[in-house]
Amino acid sequence: MKKSYKVLVAVAGLGLLGGYTASSLPAAGGELDNQLVVENQQFPPGSFQSPGSCMGCHLEIHQEWSNSMHAYAWQNRWYQDDYRLAHAETAGATDLLCGACHAPIAARTGQLPPHDGSRFDDTARQGISCDFCHTISGVERLYNMGNISDPGPVKRGNRGDGSSPFHEVEFSPLHTSTEFCGACHNVRHPIGDVPIIDTYDDWKEGPYAEAGITCQNCHMTPTPGIGKNPGKSSFMGQERDNVAFHGFVGGSSFTQRKLGNEEQARLAEEQLRAAAQLQLEGKVADGKLALTVHVDNVGAGHKIPTGVTYIRKMWLEVKVLDAGGKTVFHSGYVDEANHVDPEAVFYRLLFTDSEGNLTGKSWQATGIGYDRRIPAKGRDSETYAITLPGKGDYEAQVRLMYRSFSQESLDFHEGEKAPKVESVEMARASIAIARK
């Protein structure tokens, strides 16, 4: 039975409210400006079924999900690092705001807060799981987790022609739409209305929306772009020309590899390498090379990078070598401590805090301080002025690189024990140059 009182629906991301004084913040669960309050969205513990109960019929889908970032949304150790930091810096004001998107069942069954998960049952601990998504019946608001839950025997999805001895089956147009994803993958700061995550807005304003290409077309197939995944959704089901892939592939190769999910890491890298292309132009005058690098977003239906771009890094590595292979210019290098050249051209988003300083802490956001990302089908160009030391032949080599975490963030939380973040090459190009 539903309890008839209001519950504050959480904001996705890594917490949002630092930089404000404790006295300016409401108590945990209090109402905030521009924060979604949904009626009748608290349910008794046990209202949502465990993913394990789905595994008997949907073994392959369960396996895909169990290796996805959705499954690790709460237990991801690097999410927990920032979640605890946000809790400490905001006197707990972010506990629901962050936690409910990463542990939505806990939030909607009264198990969150406290922020440490000490009241979680096993189902709540398993992140964004089967029954949470397949009992969503509507979207009240396309940001800050505006989904409407209706847990019970009816399971909703992109087809209604199947049957099950365990539950009812209902076709849901919502589950075929980008709006289903947008309710979580769009986040606004609940006090200042700063866009923290704007993936849905990117899509909505771009050419993929106009063409009718949805999130599911790209992220619920195991290959980049619009693909097909033939098979059965359950062992007793009928053969389909396409079954939604529940690995939800994105760009998180580092986390997937650290979790031991090598195939998911490979798919993430494949997705990244399909997103962009490079084109180079070089002109030499008076001993100087004007090297223009064009970066084209050719494969993503949103800006690249997207999501928590204040944690991620995408950048250009540019090297110029002489005829003997000696490097005469290098930008975007990685140093011995695994940190990226701070003078590199970065594609990411950073916020301003209440004192006007740049910050990657979304909970401190009062505005956007730096935003250089490339929209769907868009292009960004950068021209480098490079002195060539003498006459002869040269080669310019350019790579577009990506990290799903910054090394600085991991170093901050884990010190010398921090793992080294891998760099993924998204695209590369080279051009021959002659100084006469």
Side-chain angles (χ1 to χ4, degrees):
M1 179 181 294
K2 298 179 183 179
K3 299 179 183 178
S4 296
Y5 60 88
K6 294 182 179 181
V7 59
L8 186 67
V9 176
V11 175
L14 295 178
L16 305 173
L17 296 175
Y20 297 91
T21 64
S23 62
S24 72
L25 296 173
E31 187 167 350
L32 293 171
D33 240 353
N34 194 33
Q35 180 58 39
L36 177 60
V37 176
V38 177
E39 297 281 0
N40 299 326
Q41 287 293 286
Q42 278 285 290
F43 307 90
S47 296
F48 294 88
Q49 292 166 347
S50 166
S53 67
C54 307
M55 181 172 59
C57 295
H58 304 283
L59 180 60
E60 188 172 344
I61 286 176
H62 181 275
Q63 184 60 43
E64 292 165 359
W65 165 83
S66 67
N67 291 332
S68 75
M69 295 304 297
H70 280 185
Y72 291 97
W74 173 256
Q75 299 184 79
N76 182 339
R77 68 189 253 204
W78 296 294
Y79 161 73
Q80 284 291 329
D81 283 342
D82 271 4
Y83 182 60
R84 289 191 295 266
L85 179 63
H87 167 84
E89 293 191 354
T90 65
T94 55
D95 292 357
L96 265 176
L97 293 172
C98 306
C101 267
H102 288 260
I105 290 175
R108 294 199 169 175
T109 55
Q111 299 176 67
L112 179 72
H115 80 289
D116 62 3
S118 57
R119 295 178 59 187
F120 283 24
D121 60 24
D122 184 62
T123 301
R125 200 170 292 112
Q126 295 184 67
I128 305 158
S129 59
C130 317
D131 209 33
F132 177 74
C133 289
H134 287 283
T135 58
I136 289 174
S137 61
V139 171
E140 185 165 311
R141 198 162 176 173
L142 280 167
Y143 60 92
N144 295 8
M145 197 178 160
N147 302 316
I148 305 298
S149 291
D150 187 18
V154 177
K155 311 306 176 188
R156 300 168 179 87
N158 64 334
R159 292 191 180 94
D161 60 348
S163 63
S164 168
F166 187 70
H167 59 76
E168 298 175 39
V169 177
E170 182 178 290
F171 169 64
S172 167
L174 176 64
H175 284 68
T176 70
S177 73
T178 296
E179 284 69 29
F180 180 81
C181 309
C184 282
H185 290 273
N186 238 26
V187 180
R188 302 179 189 175
H189 196 293
I191 292 179
D193 202 31
V194 178
I196 303 300
I197 297 174
D198 57 2
T199 306
Y200 172 80
D201 285 345
D202 288 348
W203 172 86
K204 185 68 174 177
E205 296 166 1
Y208 283 66
E210 186 175 347
I213 300 172
T214 67
C215 308
Q216 294 91 328
N217 290 145
C218 297
H219 293 283
M220 294 192 75
T221 58
T223 57
I226 303 175
K228 295 290 185 181
N229 185 39
K232 295 181 177 183
S233 60
S234 75
F235 76 89
M236 67 184 78
Q238 58 184 290
E239 288 286 343
R240 308 282 189 176
D241 63 351
N242 185 50
V243 176
F245 179 70
H246 285 67
F248 308 104
V249 178
S252 299
S253 60
F254 169 75
T255 304
Q256 290 286 11
R257 188 159 282 119
K258 290 301 179 182
L259 290 169
N261 300 330
E262 186 59 38
E263 177 61 13
Q264 281 288 105
R266 185 192 67 78
L267 290 173
E269 291 172 349
E270 190 177 70
Q271 194 93 335
L272 288 166
R273 291 177 181 133
Q277 292 179 353
L278 297 176
Q279 293 186 14
L280 308 181
E281 298 177 21
K283 296 181 180 179
V284 179
D286 300 324
K288 289 189 176 181
L289 166 65
L291 176 66
T292 300
V293 180
H294 302 293
V295 187
D296 295 309
N297 179 349
V298 297
H302 44 67
K303 292 175 184 174
I304 52 171
T306 192
V308 288
T309 56
Y310 39 91
I311 294 172
R312 299 167 179 163
K313 283 187 176 180
M314 190 173 88
W315 75 97
L316 290 173
E317 182 188 22
V318 179
K319 292 176 71 172
V320 178
L321 293 80
D322 65 17
K326 179 182 177 182
T327 300
V328 300
F329 177 84
H330 197 181
S331 173
Y333 58 85
V334 175
D335 66 19
E336 293 182 356
N338 205 38
H339 294 165
V340 181
D341 173 12
E343 300 301 317
V345 172
F346 288 101
Y347 297 97
R348 63 187 312 205
L349 179 145
L350 291 170
F351 308 108
T352 51
D353 63 19
S354 58
E355 297 180 352
N357 300 315
L358 287 177
T359 181
K361 295 179 177 180
S362 56
W363 58 90
Q364 293 186 352
T366 60
I368 303 298
Y370 178 89
D371 186 0
R372 187 171 184 177
R373 295 174 293 161
I374 308 170
K377 303 300 183 184
R379 165 175 281 193
D380 182 272
S381 300
E382 177 73 15
T383 299
Y384 294 80
I386 303 168
T387 299
L388 301 177
K391 294 181 180 181
D393 295 328
Y394 296 85
E395 183 182 43
Q397 301 175 350
V398 181
R399 300 196 297 166
L400 181 66
M401 307 299 292
Y402 178 85
R403 287 180 170 181
S404 53
F405 277 96
S406 71
Q407 188 65 52
E408 292 83 353
S409 176
L410 298 193
D411 290 349
F412 173 81
H413 288 297
E414 302 188 34
E416 294 181 356
K417 296 181 180 179
K420 300 302 182 185
V421 183
E422 61 191 22
S423 301
V424 178
E425 180 187 288
M426 295 178 63
R428 68 159 58 206
S430 62
I431 188 172
I433 304 294
R435 179 183 172 183
K436 299 177 180 179

